[in-house]
Amino acid sequence: MATAGTDHLTGIGARAIPEFDGVHDVWPRGERLRAVREAAAAYKERFKAQGRVRAVKSVDIAAAPYPVKYAFHDAVSVPTLPLISMINRMIVVQYDDFDGRARTLVFEPTVPDGSAEAPFYRNLQKLTDKVPGGKLLERMVLRYYAEPGDVLRRLGLTPDDIDFCTFDHLHVQDPRMILGSTEVIEGEPAPREPLFGGARMLVHSRELATLQSLHPMQWAWYVDGGLGGVDPSRFLTFDGDIELGPGVALLWTPGHTDGNHSLVLNTPDGVWVSSENGIALDNWQPELSRIPGVRRYHEAFGREICPNANTLEDSLDQYDSMVKEKTLADRCEADPRWLQILPSTELAPWKRFWPVVPTYVHGGIAYGEIKGGRR
């Protein structure tokens, strides 16, 4: 695999972020949290001074079911439906790299057919098919808005306009659906072609290594076999934290998975952060939450976050990472109580799931004009 060391970062007009060097190794853990917070504050000042992205646009892809007990670390304190829906959003970012080249990045281009093959969702589908009323429940929690290729056309882009794609982590993602494969996926008539032409997938080295060798505690959330027939050169792996150009960075935020990373953008309204460490602003700001039990979780345990907890590979790291995200994000102009954090997969604000509905929703992000033919 191509690893984004100094040479590889230079080759794509990107660079490492020195402010975070060593902070995830600080010991003991209380000191590590303090170091992460201080490094994030220091980096934010420099990040904002460097400039902004050219344009950014988010588009809803699909809504899929998710257990309430995972969404808020089992904090919800009243009887509810066992499942809620999360909406996946694809974000298209246009920026200039540090060499002045026009770039287009696609964040979270989920292909629903691939996600359905993750063992968790495959098993959930089998259960839904068996139980009385299962089809009605399925209609309540599933909704399809657009495929990633449709989104490109809607925005006036072609596959050849895309330089890079990335996911914050590879849970329920099938790289074959994005990068193409020389092998025929079961149930399909021919090998998949790349979705974004010659674009390469930026992925943290630890996240790709996880998919290459799954632990039983990780297995249910990854698409086993998702690397079959994929050209290894299509991956561009990196370690730690990197900035792709003025106004756009990928920050390593481990915990939810070992290789989780967050998209950070500087816009005319300030800094936005996107990841799936939480599925609603309530996860990052539980003190403001109206979801029963979430504010109590904050008060009872003295925790400033309430994690999305389907996999607790390292809950302390995830805590620190969410603090890192909170420190980077600016306040929302429409309601300054809330931070500009856009969950990469967000709790649907549908009344059918009351009272497990987000207390505040940004509803997406859009700045500037996405343009084709910039390369």
PDB file of all heavy atoms in Angstrom, residues 178-204:
ATOM      1  N   ILE A 178     -16.459   1.304  -4.525  1.00  0.00           N
ATOM      2  CA  ILE A 178     -15.928   2.639  -4.804  1.00  0.00           C
ATOM      3  C   ILE A 178     -14.752   2.578  -5.772  1.00  0.00           C
ATOM      4  O   ILE A 178     -14.691   3.327  -6.756  1.00  0.00           O
ATOM      5  CB  ILE A 178     -15.468   3.314  -3.493  1.00  0.00           C
ATOM      6  CG1 ILE A 178     -16.562   3.253  -2.433  1.00  0.00           C
ATOM      7  CG2 ILE A 178     -15.015   4.744  -3.765  1.00  0.00           C
ATOM      8  CD1 ILE A 178     -17.814   3.994  -2.780  1.00  0.00           C
ATOM      9  N   LEU A 179     -13.809   1.686  -5.502  1.00  0.00           N
ATOM     10  CA  LEU A 179     -12.552   1.647  -6.240  1.00  0.00           C
ATOM     11  C   LEU A 179     -12.547   0.653  -7.388  1.00  0.00           C
ATOM     12  O   LEU A 179     -11.593   0.609  -8.166  1.00  0.00           O
ATOM     13  CB  LEU A 179     -11.404   1.328  -5.281  1.00  0.00           C
ATOM     14  CG  LEU A 179     -11.224   2.313  -4.121  1.00  0.00           C
ATOM     15  CD1 LEU A 179     -10.094   1.855  -3.207  1.00  0.00           C
ATOM     16  CD2 LEU A 179     -10.946   3.724  -4.635  1.00  0.00           C
ATOM     17  N   GLY A 180     -13.601  -0.155  -7.484  1.00  0.00           N
ATOM     18  CA  GLY A 180     -13.641  -1.179  -8.517  1.00  0.00           C
ATOM     19  C   GLY A 180     -12.911  -2.434  -8.079  1.00  0.00           C
ATOM     20  O   GLY A 180     -12.176  -2.459  -7.087  1.00  0.00           O
ATOM     21  N   SER A 181     -13.121  -3.512  -8.823  1.00  0.00           N
ATOM     22  CA  SER A 181     -12.528  -4.801  -8.471  1.00  0.00           C
ATOM     23  C   SER A 181     -12.359  -5.648  -9.721  1.00  0.00           C
ATOM     24  O   SER A 181     -13.152  -5.553 -10.658  1.00  0.00           O
ATOM     25  CB  SER A 181     -13.424  -5.536  -7.460  1.00  0.00           C
ATOM     26  OG  SER A 181     -12.966  -6.849  -7.223  1.00  0.00           O
ATOM     27  N   THR A 182     -11.317  -6.465  -9.715  1.00  0.00           N
ATOM     28  CA  THR A 182     -11.140  -7.418 -10.823  1.00  0.00           C
ATOM     29  C   THR A 182     -11.974  -8.668 -10.614  1.00  0.00           C
ATOM     30  O   THR A 182     -12.080  -9.496 -11.518  1.00  0.00           O
ATOM     31  CB  THR A 182      -9.653  -7.807 -10.946  1.00  0.00           C
ATOM     32  OG1 THR A 182      -9.217  -8.391  -9.710  1.00  0.00           O
ATOM     33  CG2 THR A 182      -8.803  -6.587 -11.288  1.00  0.00           C
ATOM     34  N   GLU A 183     -12.547  -8.824  -9.422  1.00  0.00           N
ATOM     35  CA  GLU A 183     -13.369  -9.978  -9.106  1.00  0.00           C
ATOM     36  C   GLU A 183     -14.851  -9.621  -9.228  1.00  0.00           C
ATOM     37  O   GLU A 183     -15.238  -8.466  -9.026  1.00  0.00           O
ATOM     38  CB  GLU A 183     -13.078 -10.463  -7.681  1.00  0.00           C
ATOM     39  CG  GLU A 183     -11.629 -10.886  -7.463  1.00  0.00           C
ATOM     40  CD  GLU A 183     -11.363 -11.288  -6.023  1.00  0.00           C
ATOM     41  OE1 GLU A 183     -12.325 -11.255  -5.201  1.00  0.00           O
ATOM     42  OE2 GLU A 183     -10.202 -11.616  -5.700  1.00  0.00           O
ATOM     43  N   VAL A 184     -15.669 -10.603  -9.547  1.00  0.00           N
ATOM     44  CA  VAL A 184     -17.112 -10.403  -9.620  1.00  0.00           C
ATOM     45  C   VAL A 184     -17.705 -10.552  -8.219  1.00  0.00           C
ATOM     46  O   VAL A 184     -17.527 -11.581  -7.560  1.00  0.00           O
ATOM     47  CB  VAL A 184     -17.773 -11.413 -10.581  1.00  0.00           C
ATOM     48  CG1 VAL A 184     -19.287 -11.224 -10.592  1.00  0.00           C
ATOM     49  CG2 VAL A 184     -17.206 -11.254 -11.989  1.00  0.00           C
ATOM     50  N   ILE A 185     -18.384  -9.525  -7.753  1.00  0.00           N
ATOM     51  CA  ILE A 185     -19.054  -9.582  -6.464  1.00  0.00           C
ATOM     52  C   ILE A 185     -20.253 -10.508  -6.570  1.00  0.00           C
ATOM     53  O   ILE A 185     -20.973 -10.495  -7.573  1.00  0.00           O
ATOM     54  CB  ILE A 185     -19.497  -8.165  -6.028  1.00  0.00           C
ATOM     55  CG1 ILE A 185     -18.259  -7.246  -5.881  1.00  0.00           C
ATOM     56  CG2 ILE A 185     -20.277  -8.212  -4.721  1.00  0.00           C
ATOM     57  CD1 ILE A 185     -18.598  -5.795  -5.638  1.00  0.00           C
ATOM     58  N   GLU A 186     -20.455 -11.326  -5.547  1.00  0.00           N
ATOM     59  CA  GLU A 186     -21.550 -12.300  -5.568  1.00  0.00           C
ATOM     60  C   GLU A 186     -22.874 -11.621  -5.904  1.00  0.00           C
ATOM     61  O   GLU A 186     -23.240 -10.592  -5.324  1.00  0.00           O
ATOM     62  CB  GLU A 186     -21.652 -12.996  -4.213  1.00  0.00           C
ATOM     63  CG  GLU A 186     -22.700 -14.096  -4.176  1.00  0.00           C
ATOM     64  CD  GLU A 186     -22.743 -14.805  -2.835  1.00  0.00           C
ATOM     65  OE1 GLU A 186     -21.879 -14.507  -1.979  1.00  0.00           O
ATOM     66  OE2 GLU A 186     -23.637 -15.643  -2.644  1.00  0.00           O
ATOM     67  N   GLY A 187     -23.593 -12.193  -6.869  1.00  0.00           N
ATOM     68  CA  GLY A 187     -24.885 -11.661  -7.256  1.00  0.00           C
ATOM     69  C   GLY A 187     -24.838 -10.628  -8.360  1.00  0.00           C
ATOM     70  O   GLY A 187     -25.883 -10.146  -8.808  1.00  0.00           O
ATOM     71  N   GLU A 188     -23.629 -10.255  -8.794  1.00  0.00           N
ATOM     72  CA  GLU A 188     -23.493  -9.259  -9.852  1.00  0.00           C
ATOM     73  C   GLU A 188     -22.977  -9.926 -11.128  1.00  0.00           C
ATOM     74  O   GLU A 188     -22.258 -10.929 -11.068  1.00  0.00           O
ATOM     75  CB  GLU A 188     -22.568  -8.129  -9.407  1.00  0.00           C
ATOM     76  CG  GLU A 188     -23.114  -7.393  -8.177  1.00  0.00           C
ATOM     77  CD  GLU A 188     -22.390  -6.084  -7.916  1.00  0.00           C
ATOM     78  OE1 GLU A 188     -21.455  -5.735  -8.676  1.00  0.00           O
ATOM     79  OE2 GLU A 188     -22.767  -5.396  -6.945  1.00  0.00           O
ATOM     80  N   PRO A 189     -23.287  -9.364 -12.298  1.00  0.00           N
ATOM     81  CA  PRO A 189     -22.940 -10.030 -13.551  1.00  0.00           C
ATOM     82  C   PRO A 189     -21.501  -9.826 -14.009  1.00  0.00           C
ATOM     83  O   PRO A 189     -20.990 -10.603 -14.817  1.00  0.00           O
ATOM     84  CB  PRO A 189     -23.912  -9.406 -14.561  1.00  0.00           C
ATOM     85  CG  PRO A 189     -24.188  -8.038 -13.996  1.00  0.00           C
ATOM     86  CD  PRO A 189     -24.179  -8.210 -12.505  1.00  0.00           C
ATOM     87  N   ALA A 190     -20.843  -8.770 -13.510  1.00  0.00           N
ATOM     88  CA  ALA A 190     -19.499  -8.441 -13.994  1.00  0.00           C
ATOM     89  C   ALA A 190     -18.735  -7.701 -12.904  1.00  0.00           C
ATOM     90  O   ALA A 190     -19.336  -7.205 -11.938  1.00  0.00           O
ATOM     91  CB  ALA A 190     -19.596  -7.582 -15.258  1.00  0.00           C
ATOM     92  N   PRO A 191     -17.411  -7.630 -13.032  1.00  0.00           N
ATOM     93  CA  PRO A 191     -16.640  -6.880 -12.044  1.00  0.00           C
ATOM     94  C   PRO A 191     -17.058  -5.413 -11.984  1.00  0.00           C
ATOM     95  O   PRO A 191     -17.478  -4.838 -12.994  1.00  0.00           O
ATOM     96  CB  PRO A 191     -15.188  -7.008 -12.552  1.00  0.00           C
ATOM     97  CG  PRO A 191     -15.189  -8.241 -13.383  1.00  0.00           C
ATOM     98  CD  PRO A 191     -16.548  -8.292 -14.035  1.00  0.00           C
ATOM     99  N   ARG A 192     -16.975  -4.826 -10.809  1.00  0.00           N
ATOM    100  CA  ARG A 192     -17.306  -3.415 -10.614  1.00  0.00           C
ATOM    101  C   ARG A 192     -16.239  -2.512 -11.213  1.00  0.00           C
ATOM    102  O   ARG A 192     -15.041  -2.730 -11.039  1.00  0.00           O
ATOM    103  CB  ARG A 192     -17.408  -3.116  -9.122  1.00  0.00           C
ATOM    104  CG  ARG A 192     -18.708  -3.575  -8.501  1.00  0.00           C
ATOM    105  CD  ARG A 192     -19.693  -2.430  -8.429  1.00  0.00           C
ATOM    106  NE  ARG A 192     -20.980  -2.868  -7.902  1.00  0.00           N
ATOM    107  CZ  ARG A 192     -21.915  -2.033  -7.473  1.00  0.00           C
ATOM    108  NH1 ARG A 192     -21.710  -0.724  -7.517  1.00  0.00           N
ATOM    109  NH2 ARG A 192     -23.061  -2.489  -7.017  1.00  0.00           N
ATOM    110  N   GLU A 193     -16.698  -1.458 -11.891  1.00  0.00           N
ATOM    111  CA  GLU A 193     -15.798  -0.420 -12.371  1.00  0.00           C
ATOM    112  C   GLU A 193     -15.635   0.637 -11.281  1.00  0.00           C
ATOM    113  O   GLU A 193     -16.517   0.819 -10.436  1.00  0.00           O
ATOM    114  CB  GLU A 193     -16.354   0.224 -13.644  1.00  0.00           C
ATOM    115  CG  GLU A 193     -16.404  -0.701 -14.844  1.00  0.00           C
ATOM    116  CD  GLU A 193     -15.016  -1.132 -15.299  1.00  0.00           C
ATOM    117  OE1 GLU A 193     -14.090  -0.294 -15.234  1.00  0.00           O
ATOM    118  OE2 GLU A 193     -14.861  -2.305 -15.680  1.00  0.00           O
ATOM    119  N   PRO A 194     -14.522   1.378 -11.270  1.00  0.00           N
ATOM    120  CA  PRO A 194     -14.350   2.441 -10.270  1.00  0.00           C
ATOM    121  C   PRO A 194     -15.470   3.472 -10.359  1.00  0.00           C
ATOM    122  O   PRO A 194     -15.882   3.865 -11.452  1.00  0.00           O
ATOM    123  CB  PRO A 194     -12.994   3.052 -10.633  1.00  0.00           C
ATOM    124  CG  PRO A 194     -12.276   1.984 -11.383  1.00  0.00           C
ATOM    125  CD  PRO A 194     -13.329   1.232 -12.133  1.00  0.00           C
ATOM    126  N   LEU A 195     -15.950   3.899  -9.214  1.00  0.00           N
ATOM    127  CA  LEU A 195     -17.035   4.866  -9.168  1.00  0.00           C
ATOM    128  C   LEU A 195     -16.559   6.271  -9.493  1.00  0.00           C
ATOM    129  O   LEU A 195     -17.294   7.066 -10.092  1.00  0.00           O
ATOM    130  CB  LEU A 195     -17.664   4.845  -7.762  1.00  0.00           C
ATOM    131  CG  LEU A 195     -18.919   5.665  -7.531  1.00  0.00           C
ATOM    132  CD1 LEU A 195     -20.056   5.223  -8.451  1.00  0.00           C
ATOM    133  CD2 LEU A 195     -19.352   5.558  -6.065  1.00  0.00           C
ATOM    134  N   PHE A 196     -15.313   6.576  -9.123  1.00  0.00           N
ATOM    135  CA  PHE A 196     -14.778   7.922  -9.298  1.00  0.00           C
ATOM    136  C   PHE A 196     -13.540   7.934 -10.190  1.00  0.00           C
ATOM    137  O   PHE A 196     -12.531   8.579  -9.879  1.00  0.00           O
ATOM    138  CB  PHE A 196     -14.437   8.541  -7.941  1.00  0.00           C
ATOM    139  CG  PHE A 196     -15.605   8.662  -7.006  1.00  0.00           C
ATOM    140  CD1 PHE A 196     -15.516   8.211  -5.712  1.00  0.00           C
ATOM    141  CD2 PHE A 196     -16.797   9.232  -7.429  1.00  0.00           C
ATOM    142  CE1 PHE A 196     -16.585   8.316  -4.831  1.00  0.00           C
ATOM    143  CE2 PHE A 196     -17.877   9.349  -6.568  1.00  0.00           C
ATOM    144  CZ  PHE A 196     -17.774   8.886  -5.269  1.00  0.00           C
ATOM    145  N   GLY A 197     -13.592   7.240 -11.304  1.00  0.00           N
ATOM    146  CA  GLY A 197     -12.472   7.251 -12.235  1.00  0.00           C
ATOM    147  C   GLY A 197     -11.175   6.826 -11.578  1.00  0.00           C
ATOM    148  O   GLY A 197     -11.090   5.792 -10.925  1.00  0.00           O
ATOM    149  N   GLY A 198     -10.160   7.665 -11.705  1.00  0.00           N
ATOM    150  CA  GLY A 198      -8.849   7.347 -11.152  1.00  0.00           C
ATOM    151  C   GLY A 198      -8.631   7.849  -9.743  1.00  0.00           C
ATOM    152  O   GLY A 198      -7.486   7.836  -9.247  1.00  0.00           O
ATOM    153  N   ALA A 199      -9.686   8.297  -9.055  1.00  0.00           N
ATOM    154  CA  ALA A 199      -9.531   8.827  -7.692  1.00  0.00           C
ATOM    155  C   ALA A 199      -8.973   7.759  -6.754  1.00  0.00           C
ATOM    156  O   ALA A 199      -9.254   6.575  -6.890  1.00  0.00           O
ATOM    157  CB  ALA A 199     -10.873   9.320  -7.166  1.00  0.00           C
ATOM    158  N   ARG A 200      -8.189   8.195  -5.795  1.00  0.00           N
ATOM    159  CA  ARG A 200      -7.621   7.305  -4.792  1.00  0.00           C
ATOM    160  C   ARG A 200      -8.321   7.507  -3.458  1.00  0.00           C
ATOM    161  O   ARG A 200      -8.833   8.600  -3.162  1.00  0.00           O
ATOM    162  CB  ARG A 200      -6.117   7.557  -4.655  1.00  0.00           C
ATOM    163  CG  ARG A 200      -5.366   7.350  -5.966  1.00  0.00           C
ATOM    164  CD  ARG A 200      -3.926   7.792  -5.873  1.00  0.00           C
ATOM    165  NE  ARG A 200      -3.122   6.844  -5.115  1.00  0.00           N
ATOM    166  CZ  ARG A 200      -1.844   7.052  -4.796  1.00  0.00           C
ATOM    167  NH1 ARG A 200      -1.244   8.171  -5.149  1.00  0.00           N
ATOM    168  NH2 ARG A 200      -1.173   6.139  -4.131  1.00  0.00           N
ATOM    169  N   MET A 201      -8.363   6.447  -2.668  1.00  0.00           N
ATOM    170  CA  MET A 201      -9.014   6.508  -1.368  1.00  0.00           C
ATOM    171  C   MET A 201      -7.999   6.820  -0.280  1.00  0.00           C
ATOM    172  O   MET A 201      -7.055   6.055  -0.067  1.00  0.00           O
ATOM    173  CB  MET A 201      -9.735   5.206  -1.048  1.00  0.00           C
ATOM    174  CG  MET A 201     -10.503   5.263   0.279  1.00  0.00           C
ATOM    175  SD  MET A 201     -11.375   3.707   0.704  1.00  0.00           S
ATOM    176  CE  MET A 201     -12.703   3.741  -0.516  1.00  0.00           C
ATOM    177  N   LEU A 202      -8.190   7.936   0.393  1.00  0.00           N
ATOM    178  CA  LEU A 202      -7.383   8.283   1.550  1.00  0.00           C
ATOM    179  C   LEU A 202      -7.925   7.516   2.756  1.00  0.00           C
ATOM    180  O   LEU A 202      -9.113   7.593   3.070  1.00  0.00           O
ATOM    181  CB  LEU A 202      -7.471   9.794   1.819  1.00  0.00           C
ATOM    182  CG  LEU A 202      -6.736  10.694   0.829  1.00  0.00           C
ATOM    183  CD1 LEU A 202      -7.291  12.114   0.878  1.00  0.00           C
ATOM    184  CD2 LEU A 202      -5.243  10.703   1.158  1.00  0.00           C
ATOM    185  N   VAL A 203      -7.054   6.769   3.415  1.00  0.00           N
ATOM    186  CA  VAL A 203      -7.486   5.961   4.549  1.00  0.00           C
ATOM    187  C   VAL A 203      -6.350   5.862   5.556  1.00  0.00           C
ATOM    188  O   VAL A 203      -5.179   5.731   5.179  1.00  0.00           O
ATOM    189  CB  VAL A 203      -7.940   4.557   4.079  1.00  0.00           C
ATOM    190  CG1 VAL A 203      -6.824   3.809   3.371  1.00  0.00           C
ATOM    191  CG2 VAL A 203      -8.482   3.723   5.233  1.00  0.00           C
ATOM    192  N   HIS A 204      -6.695   5.976   6.826  1.00  0.00           N
ATOM    193  CA  HIS A 204      -5.670   5.844   7.857  1.00  0.00           C
ATOM    194  C   HIS A 204      -5.094   4.432   7.809  1.00  0.00           C
ATOM    195  O   HIS A 204      -5.827   3.454   7.609  1.00  0.00           O
ATOM    196  CB  HIS A 204      -6.262   6.129   9.234  1.00  0.00           C
ATOM    197  CG  HIS A 204      -5.236   6.390  10.289  1.00  0.00           C
ATOM    198  ND1 HIS A 204      -4.541   5.370  10.899  1.00  0.00           N
ATOM    199  CD2 HIS A 204      -4.761   7.545  10.828  1.00  0.00           C
ATOM    200  CE1 HIS A 204      -3.699   5.886  11.778  1.00  0.00           C
ATOM    201  NE2 HIS A 204      -3.813   7.209  11.754  1.00  0.00           N
TER     202      HIS A 204
END
